[in-house]
């Protein structure tokens, strides 16, 4: 199982506005940086001459501490305003978000069993499972498809198809490592081990991995079978 660890986005601390009637988002304002909590999950702040309403979706929400306002953005949505280079989980815990200095962007999908979670000041993303096209953070890293039948790899920030895992063990995780049982397949299937062998799905042929593809090696009159991770052609 693979985990991504990044610092959680620090809460914003800013001086509260002193005004009898609370302003509304979109209205003009004069004093840059002042703000208030209109409710438990939002921070109203004067930014660029206009009142802006920011989300504070973390457990701490929007809170007033003495003369300061704190906005907990450890949980966020794509596009939420933020500052710095911190990280957050999406509301449904299925995405790992990073702040690009002004807004939250999707860094990785977290479809492994541990999803996206927080531990102290860190955010963890379980990227060990996913589907082709999911966002991923580490070039070349592996994952299993959600149905456990395919080995996927991260290529230019997207999960791409690697190999079919047609054997009984399918695609599975041992510790932090992704394994693919390629002992059963079809001629023409992509394969990873240049010395690897497999049985055809109809058990009538033994196959070998050549030039990244499974090719027929021998017909098996009495069937092809797998014992103790070895291929027998009878």
């Amino acid at each position: 199982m693979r985990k991504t660890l990044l610092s959680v986005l620090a809460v914003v601390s800013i001086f509260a506005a002193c005004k009898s009637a609370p302003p509304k988002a979109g209205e003009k304002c004069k004093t840059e940086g002042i703000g208030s909590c209109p409710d438990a999950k939002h921070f109203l702040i004067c930014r660029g001459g206009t009142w802006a309403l920011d989300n504070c979706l973390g457990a701490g929400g929007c809170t007033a501490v003495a003369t300061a306002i704190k906005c907990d953005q450890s949980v966020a949505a794509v596009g939420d305003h933020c500052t710095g280079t911190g990280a957050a989980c999406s509301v449904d815990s299925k995405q790992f978000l990073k702040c690009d200095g002004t807004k939250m962007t999707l860094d990785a999908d977290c479809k492994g069993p541990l999803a996206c979670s927080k531990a102290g000041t860190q955010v963890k993303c379980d990227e060990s499972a996913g589907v082709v096209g999911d966002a991923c953070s580490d070039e070349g890293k592996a994952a299993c498809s959600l149905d456990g039948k395919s080995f996927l790899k991260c290529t230019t920030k997207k999960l791409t198809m690697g190999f079919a895992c047609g054997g009984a063990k399918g695609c599975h995780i041992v510790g932090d490592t992704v394994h693919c049982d390629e002992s059963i397949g079809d001629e023409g299937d992509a394969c990873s081990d240049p010395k690897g062998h497999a049985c055809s799905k109809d058990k009538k042929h033994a196959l070998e991995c050549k030039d990244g593809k499974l090719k027929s090696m021998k017909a098996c009159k009495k069937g092809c079978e797998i014992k103790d991770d070895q291929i027998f052609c009878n």
Side-chain angles (χ1 to χ4, degrees):
M1 183 176 294
R2 186 169 71 260
K3 297 179 181 178
T4 301
L5 305 179
L6 286 174
S7 297
V8 82
L9 183 68
V11 294
V12 179
S13 181
I14 217 160
F15 286 103
C18 181
K19 195 174 182 181
S20 56
K24 296 179 180 180
E27 292 180 347
K28 298 296 182 181
C29 58
K30 295 181 179 179
T31 307
E32 189 75 10
I34 63 169
S36 62
C37 296
D39 57 55
K41 292 295 182 180
H42 294 93
F43 177 40
L44 191 66
I45 178 173
C46 182
R47 182 186 300 121
T50 303
W51 288 107
L53 191 65
D54 293 347
N55 286 328
C56 309
L57 303 179
C62 186
T63 54
V65 180
T67 58
I69 298 293
K70 291 187 177 182
C71 178
D72 183 354
Q73 292 181 301
S74 59
V75 175
V78 171
D80 279 358
H81 183 274
C82 60
T83 57
T85 57
C89 290
S90 60
V91 176
D92 62 5
S93 299
K94 293 181 179 180
Q95 294 180 322
F96 177 85
L97 311 179
K98 288 182 72 174
C99 182
D100 67 2
T102 58
K103 65 181 182 300
M104 283 292 185
T105 60
L106 173 62
D107 187 70
D109 286 296
C110 312
K111 293 181 179 175
L114 298 181
C116 186
S117 59
K118 299 181 292 298
T121 58
Q122 292 184 319
V123 180
K124 300 179 181 181
C125 179
D126 185 354
E127 299 179 60
S128 63
V131 298
V132 170
D134 277 354
C136 54
S137 58
D138 298 320
E139 185 71 16
K141 294 290 185 178
C144 289
S145 60
L146 296 181
D147 62 7
K149 295 181 179 180
S150 301
F151 177 95
L152 311 177
K153 58 182 178 180
C154 185
T155 306
T156 60
K157 298 286 288 182
K158 295 288 185 182
L159 283 183
T160 59
M161 180 65 183
F163 314 103
C165 308
K169 296 178 182 178
C171 186
H172 58 285
I173 314 295
V174 179
D176 290 331
T177 306
V178 179
H179 296 269
C180 180
D181 183 352
E182 301 175 68
S183 60
I184 296 177
D186 284 323
E187 189 168 3
D189 283 351
C191 53
S192 61
D193 184 358
K195 296 182 179 179
H197 294 83
C199 289
S200 60
K201 291 179 181 177
D202 62 8
K203 305 296 179 67
K204 292 182 179 181
H205 292 85
L207 311 173
E208 59 182 343
C209 185
K210 278 191 175 182
D211 302 320
K213 299 285 186 180
L214 286 179
K215 297 182 180 180
S216 180
M217 181 179 68
K218 183 181 179 181
C220 307
K221 293 181 179 181
K222 295 183 179 180
C224 183
E225 60 181 337
I226 303 157
K227 292 182 179 179
D228 298 324
D229 296 327
Q230 294 187 50
I231 304 298
F232 294 90
C233 183
N234 304 311

